Amino acid sequence: MIEIEAVEKSYGPLRVLKGISLRVPEGKVVCVIGPSGSGKSTLLRCVNGLEGYQGGAIRVDGRLVDRGRKAEIRAVRQRVCMVFQRFNLFGHRTALENVTEGPIYALGEPRQQAEAGGRELLARVGLSGKEGTYPAQLSGGQQQRVAIARALAMRPQAVLFDEPTSALDPELVGEVLAVMRDLAREGMTMMVVTHEIAFAREVADHVVFMDHGVVVEEGPPDEVLATPREPRTQEFLRRVL
Ligand code: ADP
Ligand code: MG
């Protein structure tokens, strides 16, 4: 579903992605771990066209992600939605309005249909009854679940998660991970940047350890997370576990 091939990306003189390659097959969950500053967010932002890249190629469902082609980027963004560390909800819109905005304005769904779908999605993330509530009245965990419902409302083929629980109070992390676990079980294609090693171990089909803009090590979670080969992976896991 997502194919990243030898991608190079610099900010001015700073090389952030140095020939990154990885794949997220349809229906699989790939977790990306690595120290802060290693380029994980940049990589996700390149996948859904929020950032351009200078070398290599990214394809989503066979479609080249090319910032030079606006229509293509729009098509990619509809297929690949992103959930950010900070919930990025529209503050002046209710939970339901946050979820229906995309279907109504980007997909052209009739309002009634979008609202019915939105209620269903809010129920699916455990937020029945919160349709009319504004983000400021929701906990961080609830806001992040609205953000996930909002992403799903676009009927994406894949969802990108950028440290979706790292801005949450510890007691709220579990409820968001539970929603993500259900989504994975239902067969959603997911690329998840996370420091939640236990989650990665349980849910990921494949784990990628990135450092300084390169893939240092990758493989099944049991190998990469339990018996890493590379010293840099070992050291990182010692620090986060
Ligand atoms: P991670 O998500 O792994 O913490 P990032 O992708 O956010 O890493 O950042 C990788 C590197 O790129 C860091 O050195 C960061 O400072 C730099 N960087 C990220 N975004 C920008 C930007 N918009 N302009 C300049 N440098 C950036
Ligand atoms: Mg980041």
Side-chain angles (χ1 to χ4, degrees):
M1 182 62 65
I2 300 171
E3 295 175 280
I4 300 168
E5 264 182 51
V7 165
E8 302 271 344
K9 160 87 181 164
S10 302
Y11 290 111
L14 181 67
R15 281 182 77 206
V16 176
L17 303 177
K18 304 168 187 167
I20 293 271
S21 298
L22 69 91
R23 274 157 192 268
V24 187
E26 189 174 354
K28 301 290 182 191
V29 177
V30 173
C31 283
V32 180
I33 60 172
S36 177
S38 54
K40 306 179 301 294
S41 296
T42 302
L43 182 62
L44 288 187
R45 293 167 62 81
C46 287
V47 170
N48 85 335
L50 286 172
E51 293 275 359
Y53 51 95
Q54 286 98 25
I58 299 176
R59 286 193 175 73
V60 169
D61 201 16
R63 208 178 266 264
L64 185 69
V65 181
D66 175 356
R67 292 259 298 170
R69 294 155 72 194
K70 290 255 158 58
E72 287 287 297
I73 292 294
R74 228 176 293 127
V76 165
R77 293 238 183 98
Q78 270 174 25
R79 287 170 175 75
V80 182
C81 291
M82 186 140 156
V83 175
F84 298 89
Q85 182 174 357
R86 302 247 157 228
F87 328 118
N88 291 79
L89 296 178
F90 303 116
H92 54 292
R93 305 255 160 84
T94 64
L96 184 61
E97 286 166 351
N98 266 281
V99 175
T100 56
E101 173 104 3
I104 292 172
Y105 296 102
L107 303 181
E109 269 183 26
R111 179 172 298 273
Q112 261 194 326
Q113 183 189 330
E115 286 183 354
R119 285 173 200 283
E120 222 163 89
L121 282 169
L122 286 173
R124 193 165 148 197
V125 299
L127 291 174
S128 286
K130 299 290 185 191
E131 291 82 1
T133 308
Y134 287 86
Q137 269 75 56
L138 296 170
S139 73
Q142 291 172 330
Q143 289 183 53
Q144 195 60 305
R145 286 185 281 144
V146 174
I148 293 171
R150 185 175 62 175
L152 297 179
M154 295 296 284
R155 286 187 240 99
Q157 292 177 333
V159 184
L160 312 176
F161 292 87
D162 192 1
E163 298 194 36
T165 60
S166 58
L168 296 176
D169 292 333
E171 76 272 22
L172 303 177
V173 168
E175 65 194 53
V176 172
L177 294 180
V179 167
M180 292 169 63
R181 193 179 292 121
D182 287 347
L183 199 54
R185 286 209 186 109
E186 289 158 19
M188 179 59 80
T189 307
M190 295 162 61
M191 183 168 167
V192 184
V193 172
T194 185
H195 289 303
E196 296 291 335
I197 303 301
F199 172 83
R201 204 151 167 194
E202 183 196 336
V203 177
D205 295 291
H206 191 78
V207 173
V208 175
F209 173 67
M210 264 177 80
D211 193 14
H212 288 103
V214 299
V215 172
V216 173
E217 180 165 2
E218 62 179 310
D222 282 349
E223 288 172 21
V224 176
L225 301 174
T227 55
R229 277 177 282 112
E230 298 292 329
R232 275 197 275 174
T233 319
Q234 294 165 2
E235 196 210 320
F236 173 75
L237 289 171
R238 257 199 305 277
R239 275 189 284 124
V240 299
L241 282 174

